[in-house]
Amino acid sequence: MRVGEVKRKTKETTVEVRVNLDGSGEAKINTGIKFLDHLLSSFAKHGSFDLRLKARGDLEHHIAEDSMIALGTAINKALGKKEGIRRMGDAFVPMEDALVLVAVDLSGRAYAEVDAEFAKKRLDDLSSDLIEHLLQTLAANARLNLHVKVLRGRNDHHRAEAIFKALGMAMSEAVSKRPRAKGVPSTKGAL
Ligand SMILES: [Mn+2]
């Protein structure tokens, strides 16, 4: 089992996270931000990751951001040396009117391109401008290359949720084992 655990405490927040990349999609998320819990549960479900995350803190922005710092760090820990994995993964995920493309490369080089805009300022109890920031933060801390493109969609909830479903699907593919591969999937010999 590839498991990563992080406990992170600052003056602003306390976050505990445990991720099992070889899980079955069981999520127990409690950040105090219901829409973020919903998005992270979707990510875990469609990635078949077991994810436990508990966060407390002062401000919505801090709690959401620090949750993603801890989650990204835990994913990076769980990946270890990345031997025998596919490394890249992608997914097109529809959710009614919304259609989203996510592609990832577990390259060890943090880089994110996120093309996602929202009509409303709030997605229930989460500020919509945080979505791009949270994806950037995840990529930086999991040290992955992430591309997110919302291709269409009128409903903000669907657009946001489809992103996290697609992220789960793409990550699930990227972390999966490649039967014929030997060692680390890089001509450099390390990632
Ligand atoms: Mn929903």
Side-chain angles (χ1 to χ4, degrees):
M1 293 283 182
R2 291 171 293 172
V3 174
E5 260 181 291
V6 169
K7 285 182 188 175
R8 188 174 186 278
K9 191 170 162 56
T10 70
K11 284 181 182 169
E12 296 171 346
T13 64
T14 302
V15 184
E16 286 181 36
V17 59
R18 184 182 193 274
V19 63
N20 177 2
L21 301 177
D22 300 300
S24 59
E26 278 183 42
K28 204 176 161 200
I29 320 282
N30 188 339
T31 64
I33 304 167
K34 282 186 211 148
F35 197 71
L36 181 60
D37 294 357
H38 181 43
L39 294 176
L40 293 177
S41 298
S42 290
F43 166 71
K45 173 59 81 177
H46 296 284
S48 298
F49 304 135
D50 291 343
L51 180 59
R52 262 191 275 152
L53 192 152
K54 192 177 172 209
R56 286 292 175 269
D58 51 4
L59 304 176
E60 173 197 317
H61 187 108
H62 294 157
I63 296 165
E65 179 176 71
D66 291 359
S67 292
M68 298 310 263
I69 291 173
L71 175 59
T73 306
I75 289 171
N76 195 43
K77 277 188 181 182
L79 282 167
K81 287 187 176 152
K82 304 177 184 170
E83 283 170 345
I85 63 167
R86 295 189 64 86
R87 183 182 149 181
M88 289 83 157
D90 60 76
F92 278 100
V93 169
M95 187 166 170
E96 297 183 28
D97 53 294
L99 179 64
V100 172
L101 164 68
V102 171
V104 297
D105 178 5
L106 305 175
S107 59
R109 293 191 301 278
Y111 189 93
E113 285 282 350
V114 179
D115 185 1
E117 282 169 18
F118 299 94
K120 292 181 188 149
K121 283 194 168 168
R122 304 287 294 175
L123 297 157
D124 277 86
D125 57 348
L126 182 72
S127 180
S128 53
D129 70 356
L130 277 173
I131 297 289
E132 176 171 350
H133 182 53
L134 298 182
L135 294 165
Q136 297 271 4
T137 303
L138 181 76
N141 289 277
R143 298 178 63 202
L144 55 87
N145 181 186
L146 171 67
H147 284 255
V148 173
K149 189 159 180 64
V150 176
L151 296 162
R152 60 168 146 244
R154 290 174 297 280
N155 183 292
D156 280 347
H157 185 127
H158 294 165
R159 291 160 73 96
E161 189 169 340
I163 290 172
F164 280 78
K165 283 178 171 176
L167 181 64
M169 297 282 294
M171 284 289 290
S172 184
E173 184 179 46
V175 307
S176 68
K177 296 284 184 173
R178 198 169 197 161
R180 286 184 290 121
K182 287 237 162 54
V184 176
S186 168
T187 50
K188 292 200 268 298
L191 284 172

